[in-house]
Amino acid sequence: MITAIMAIVTVYFLIRLYVSVMQVGYINRAKRMPAVLMGTAEFLKAGNYAVAKEKLQMAGMFIEYIMFVVWLDGGIQWLDRITLNVEEPLKTIAMVLGFLFVNYLVNLPLTLYEKFVLDEKFGFNRSSVMLFVKDTLITMALVGVFGSLVIWGVSEIIASTKLWWLWTFLFLFIVVVALNMLFPTIRALFFDKLTPLEDADLNEKIEKLMRRTGFVSSGVFVSDASKRDARLNAYFGGLGKTKRVVLFDTLLDKLTPQELLAVLGHELGHYAHGDIYKNIGIVGGLLFVMLAIFGNLPSSMFLSLGITETPAVDIIMFLLFMPVVSFFIMPFMGMISRHNEYEADKTGKELGGGFYLANALRKLVTENRTFPLSHPLYIFFYYTHPPVIERLKALGYDEENSQESRAMQETCEADTLEHEHEEAGSRA
């Protein structure tokens, strides 16, 4: 049994390592070719950043593999021993939180290197050490409080029924939905400062855009994300009445109003197509499959590992194997996600104009140092969004054909004027 487990984990590790090696080699060759979507200097810098990030990921893979062996070869038993005199359910909570904390500490050097060395070198990091420590302590406190409640709930379910995996699925699915609803509030309370968008004209245009798709939000807000990172982003957070539009201040600084509206049109496309609920459903399906597997593991497996099957061990084994199972399911989820992105781009083109959306995508690639080319295997396993070049082609944008680009712009401007006249007529 142990041999079979380690064989599966080793295959998982080797596939990931092979894909990363192929990606690094591909980018190293591609960055010496003529630049695509950005200037030569930016193209080379983006390629160097992508290679450095991937090498860091490879280091993380080795650590993950080593920790996997450590946990199965005595690590779980060690957690059990140091919590021997702790009564349930505190014992289960202590063991699971201990497992998470040890993994965090082991990976902390890589996290610090990525943020304060790699991201600093390439101009992304704007966070101070004190802000990082503050964010870390807040995150740990939130995990400690809410994580303890979730662990306690799961442990009670495991202890009370043989079909614990099914009831645990229902419980965790409710938690996932609740987190989606509470995420904007939690982020605003503890991390980013959100302020209402002050640009009245832009706010009105965003409201008009939302009305066209029936999207009702609690407001449009600006996040002070630039105090931590220079990357551009925006998101629609929450479900139901908690929905809100959040724009990173970095995004407002770099995109024109028309480009910003096109990006929001893309996000509204996700809403119009029900992608948020589809994604929750997909996550639910993944959760169901994983719990069905781990809820029916043979007792001989635990015996062969020298551990007693308890609620804490069940939860730790689930967390330990979750990356392995999800890795082989992710390509399927990625294909669905990439299809949804193309469809959202179509809506973004209709609402904000293909020319402006294409320009915004190009700016996002340049500002976020996103290397526009990737190995097909890497795309297959990891990409949730289509390669930006393919998205631009689908939008009808060709950077080598300026006449076509101008035609796109003229069409966009004509569509915008036509819609404004229609709205003026309806108001009249």
Side-chain angles (χ1 to χ4, degrees):
M1 184 63 72
I2 296 177
T3 303
I5 291 171
M6 289 311 303
I8 293 170
V9 174
T10 302
V11 169
Y12 153 75
F13 169 75
L14 290 176
I15 292 175
R16 286 188 65 196
L17 186 62
Y18 176 76
V19 172
S20 289
V21 169
M22 296 300 289
Q23 173 75 344
V24 168
Y26 183 91
I27 293 175
N28 277 331
R29 291 190 297 273
K31 71 184 184 182
R32 294 192 291 268
M33 298 168 63
V36 178
L37 300 182
M38 55 182 78
T40 302
E42 290 83 0
F43 186 74
L44 182 60
K45 192 171 186 178
N48 290 335
Y49 181 65
V51 168
K53 284 272 287 187
E54 199 57 38
K55 288 181 177 178
L56 193 63
Q57 291 296 318
M58 291 164 70
M61 290 177 207
F62 282 102
I63 292 175
E64 180 186 349
Y65 187 78
I66 292 168
M67 288 306 297
F68 200 101
V69 174
V70 168
W71 285 120
L72 291 184
D73 190 28
I76 298 176
Q77 293 94 318
W78 171 74
L79 284 175
D80 186 51
R81 285 195 302 274
I82 65 173
T83 57
L84 187 63
N85 297 320
V86 181
E87 296 294 327
E88 291 288 358
L90 291 179
K91 179 181 175 67
T92 297
I93 294 171
M95 283 186 66
V96 176
L97 290 182
F99 169 82
L100 295 174
F101 183 67
V102 170
N103 281 335
Y104 173 77
L105 285 182
V106 169
N107 286 284
L108 184 58
L110 291 184
T111 303
L112 292 171
Y113 178 84
E114 179 179 3
K115 189 160 194 69
F116 292 104
V117 178
L118 190 58
D119 283 358
E120 189 78 35
K121 177 182 178 181
F122 286 90
F124 288 122
N125 179 49
R126 292 179 178 174
S127 177
S128 65
V129 174
M130 289 303 298
L131 183 58
F132 176 83
V133 171
K134 177 187 173 184
D135 287 347
T136 300
L137 292 176
I138 291 174
T139 301
M140 291 175 69
L142 291 173
V143 171
V145 174
F146 293 107
S148 295
L149 292 174
V150 173
I151 295 165
W152 173 76
V154 173
S155 67
E156 288 296 309
I157 293 171
I158 293 174
S160 61
T161 176
K162 289 184 179 180
L163 274 177
W164 65 266
W165 66 269
L166 180 59
W167 293 105
T168 297
F169 159 71
L170 294 173
F171 173 66
L172 291 180
F173 188 69
I174 292 171
V175 171
V176 169
V177 174
L179 284 175
N180 271 276
M181 295 179 66
L182 295 173
F183 173 76
T185 303
I186 293 173
R187 183 161 182 163
L189 280 174
F190 297 103
F191 298 101
D192 297 340
K193 179 182 178 182
L194 300 184
T195 55
L197 179 63
E198 295 180 354
D199 189 329
D201 182 55
L202 179 58
N203 194 75
E204 176 60 25
K205 289 178 179 178
I206 293 173
E207 294 288 347
K208 286 181 181 178
L209 205 64
M210 292 191 292
R211 285 197 294 270
R212 290 175 66 181
T213 55
F215 183 90
V216 180
S217 79
S218 58
V220 181
F221 298 87
V222 178
S223 164
D224 61 342
S226 60
K227 69 183 180 184
R228 290 183 176 85
D229 200 279
R231 294 175 179 88
L232 279 56
N233 205 355
Y235 64 90
F236 286 14
L239 297 171
K241 293 181 180 180
T242 68
K243 295 195 299 290
R244 62 175 62 176
V245 181
V246 179
L247 311 173
F248 282 22
D249 51 2
T250 50
L251 193 74
L252 289 171
D253 290 341
K254 297 296 182 179
L255 299 189
T256 67
Q258 295 93 336
E259 291 164 354
L260 180 61
L261 291 172
V263 169
L264 293 178
H266 167 93
E267 297 300 331
L268 285 168
H270 285 304
Y271 164 77
H273 303 143
D275 291 341
I276 294 174
Y277 301 101
K278 291 176 188 175
N279 289 340
I280 291 175
I282 291 171
V283 170
L286 174 62
L287 193 61
F288 180 85
V289 170
M290 292 177 66
L291 283 167
I293 293 172
F294 290 102
N296 293 282
L297 293 173
S299 299
S300 58
M301 189 192 79
F302 295 94
L303 291 173
S304 65
L305 293 171
I307 53 179
T308 303
E309 189 175 1
T310 63
V313 170
D314 283 329
I315 296 171
I316 289 172
M317 291 294 282
F318 175 79
L319 294 173
L320 195 59
F321 281 91
M322 185 170 62
V324 181
V325 177
S326 60
F327 176 76
F328 292 105
I329 298 176
M330 277 302 294
F332 168 72
M333 297 176 66
M335 284 188 287
I336 296 175
S337 179
R338 290 193 294 272
H339 169 77
N340 292 341
E341 292 299 326
Y342 278 126
E343 294 302 309
D345 277 348
K346 290 179 182 178
T347 305
K349 181 177 181 179
E350 293 170 5
L351 294 175
F355 175 81
Y356 297 119
L357 181 56
N359 268 0
L361 289 174
R362 291 191 62 183
K363 285 185 179 180
L364 288 169
V365 166
T366 302
E367 295 295 330
N368 292 344
R369 312 272 198 281
T370 305
F371 195 69
L373 304 172
S374 280
H375 192 281
L377 265 180
Y378 198 85
I379 294 170
F380 175 76
F381 277 105
Y382 292 113
Y383 269 40
T384 56
H385 288 57
V388 68
I389 292 176
E390 299 303 319
R391 293 177 69 183
L392 291 172
K393 287 179 181 177
L395 288 168
Y397 185 89
D398 182 0
E399 65 173 340
E400 294 182 358
N401 191 336
S402 57
Q403 184 177 356
E404 181 180 355
S405 300
R406 283 196 299 271
M408 285 180 63
Q409 182 178 12
E410 290 169 1
T411 302
C412 291
E413 291 172 348
D415 289 344
T416 302
L417 287 172
E418 181 181 349
H419 176 68
E420 288 177 352
H421 289 320
E422 286 176 358
E423 281 199 337
S426 63
R427 286 196 298 271

